[in-house]
Amino acid sequence: MKDFKYYAPTEVAFGEQAEEQVAQLAKRYGGTKVLVHYGGQSAIRSGLLDKICGLLREGGVSFVTLGGVVPNPRLSLVYKGIELCQREGVDFILAVGGGSVIDSGKAIAMGVANPDEDVWNFYLGKAAPAKALPVASVLTIPAAGSEMSESSVITNEDGDVKLGYSDDILRPKFAIMNPRRTFTLPAYQTAAGVTDMMMHTMERYFTKDDDMDLTTELAEAVLRSMKNSVFQVLKNPEDYRHRAQIMWGGSVAHWGLTGCGVRDDWATHQLEHELSGMFDVTHGAGLAAIWPSWARYVLKENVSRFVRFAVNVMGVPNDFTDPEGTALRGIEAMEQFYHAIGMPVNIHELIGRDITDDEISEMTRKCSRDHSATCGQLRVLKAEDMEAIYKMAR
């Protein structure tokens, strides 16, 4: 078992009346002038934005608003948010939306608190923030787990570069979760969100560290629960019980619990970032398109772990005489699951056409930082490995 630090300071308000606590929570964590950050028109049409602003106003919390966050959140809006917060004296960021909005809010929080440094340098690894404004969220799209995690991913439109940054100073102060706010999510977005949260656990699950049984069993429980619940809500979008499982599952999958005592991998995420950076696709769908090829490529690094996944998560019978065959059938079962919930299993299905060799070369170049960096832990991937996986996934 590997030594580990577990840190999950976010206060969670979960349930149908959770939003009523927003002003009280904002004040508890130091908010006197709040940026209410949100995405597109859905927050307005649903009435949620008006409700949150009204509750802040009634609770005596001053605020300004900034919308416009899109999937794969853009650096240009982050810069706009930093300028707005500096001009208005904002001291607290409240993201109303999903992972993209929260990630954008975290970037703004770093930029405001470190005015002498370009926030993009944090994502490039050229600098580290000394501090950040406090961040919190009213979650509407369970997927990324950003409502409780230390991570933020931002896309720079200049070159379509998508990069992540992680730091405990970015862990949100509180997260408000009302499963009813997810009833109107489109089926595709629901499925992509579950794919993302499952992958957050799978990036930790597929490891060479096999001796932390409790962590492994927790991970398997999360994966089985998400598999079951996504089918229930695709049949009945207003199934509160299973919407609640999914909303809580997204947080559990990414606050670190399912990785305690093991080494994380994250190669699938890093490979996918180049897909969504280049083609602006939904992140969860991109993960589904990459994972089966990554899994087959690295399978022999720990066949027994893939066998365990096949049997305990995917329900594949264990052929004790052929462990590799059992492992491969587990990967095939995962592909069948992806198709059953409307997700792709390769790049052609994801983008609707064949990807070119030049596009693969460009994604490889970016993922490997001009052939200077590796990714992954189960198998450390060099540039040639990244290229091979992209080609397998085409």
Side-chain angles (χ1 to χ4, degrees), residues 72 98-100 102-103 106 139 141-153 162 164-166 171 191-207 215-216 218-224 226 246-260 262-270 272-273 276 282-288 291 294 305 309 334 337-338:
N72 304 311
S100 294
I102 303 168
D103 282 5
K106 289 176 178 179
L139 185 66
I141 305 174
S146 192
E147 68 276 3
M148 292 185 72
S149 82
E150 80 284 20
S151 300
S152 167
V153 179
K162 184 175 180 178
Y165 179 75
S166 297
R171 288 190 183 272
V194 168
T195 300
D196 191 10
M197 61 185 69
M198 290 179 70
M199 194 61 63
H200 286 152
T201 291
M202 289 158 65
E203 296 279 24
R204 298 170 166 99
Y205 180 87
F206 288 103
T207 175
T215 292
T216 296
L218 287 169
E220 290 170 352
V222 170
L223 294 171
R224 289 193 300 266
M226 294 304 97
I246 289 173
M247 183 165 252
W248 187 231
S251 298
V252 173
H254 202 33
W255 76 40
L257 184 65
T258 58
C260 290
V262 302
R263 286 170 292 185
D264 301 349
D265 189 80
W266 298 108
T268 302
H269 265 74
Q270 290 179 259
E272 193 288 324
H273 283 170
S276 50
T282 301
H283 175 56
L287 292 170
W291 184 82
W294 170 85
R305 177 54 54 131
F309 174 79
M334 193 66 182
F337 166 72
Y338 284 149

Side-chain angles (χ1 to χ4, degrees), residues 75-192:
L75 181 62
S76 58
L77 187 65
V78 170
Y79 286 143
K80 183 176 179 181
I82 293 169
E83 191 277 330
L84 173 64
C85 289
Q86 290 171 336
R87 185 175 68 247
E88 295 289 337
V90 165
D91 58 14
F92 195 96
I93 310 295
L94 179 65
V96 180
S100 294
V101 179
I102 303 168
D103 282 5
S104 181
K106 289 176 178 179
I108 292 170
M110 287 191 290
V112 176
N114 301 272
D116 297 328
E117 188 67 62
D118 184 344
V119 69
W120 186 239
N121 284 337
F122 304 142
Y123 294 85
L124 290 171
K126 294 181 177 180
K131 55 185 176 178
L133 293 188
V135 179
S137 71
V138 179
L139 185 66
T140 63
I141 305 174
S146 192
E147 68 276 3
M148 292 185 72
S149 82
E150 80 284 20
S151 300
S152 167
V153 179
I154 297 294
T155 297
N156 186 342
E157 305 96 312
D158 184 7
D160 294 327
V161 178
K162 184 175 180 178
L163 295 175
Y165 179 75
S166 297
D167 193 312
D168 278 336
I169 64 173
L170 296 180
R171 288 190 183 272
K173 299 300 182 183
F174 64 83
I176 290 173
M177 302 185 199
N178 178 355
R180 288 195 175 277
R181 292 295 177 182
T182 69
F183 283 4
T184 58
L185 283 178
Y188 186 83
Q189 198 167 25
T190 296

Side-chain angles (χ1 to χ4, degrees), residues 8-85:
T10 305
E11 181 174 350
V12 174
F14 194 103
E16 298 181 67
Q17 304 302 318
E19 294 143 10
E20 303 297 327
Q21 304 174 52
V22 65
Q24 171 192 345
L25 287 168
K27 288 192 287 188
R28 180 185 303 168
Y29 289 103
T32 63
K33 183 69 174 287
V34 174
L35 173 68
V36 179
H37 199 31
Y38 64 99
Q41 292 298 307
S42 62
I44 300 172
R45 288 195 303 269
S46 69
L48 177 60
L49 185 65
D50 281 346
K51 179 172 184 177
I52 294 300
C53 290
L55 288 167
L56 290 173
R57 191 178 295 111
E58 291 170 14
V61 180
S62 180
F63 63 89
V64 294
T65 63
L66 177 64
V69 182
V70 296
N72 304 311
R74 305 302 200 264
L75 181 62
S76 58
L77 187 65
V78 170
Y79 286 143
K80 183 176 179 181
I82 293 169
E83 191 277 330
L84 173 64
C85 289

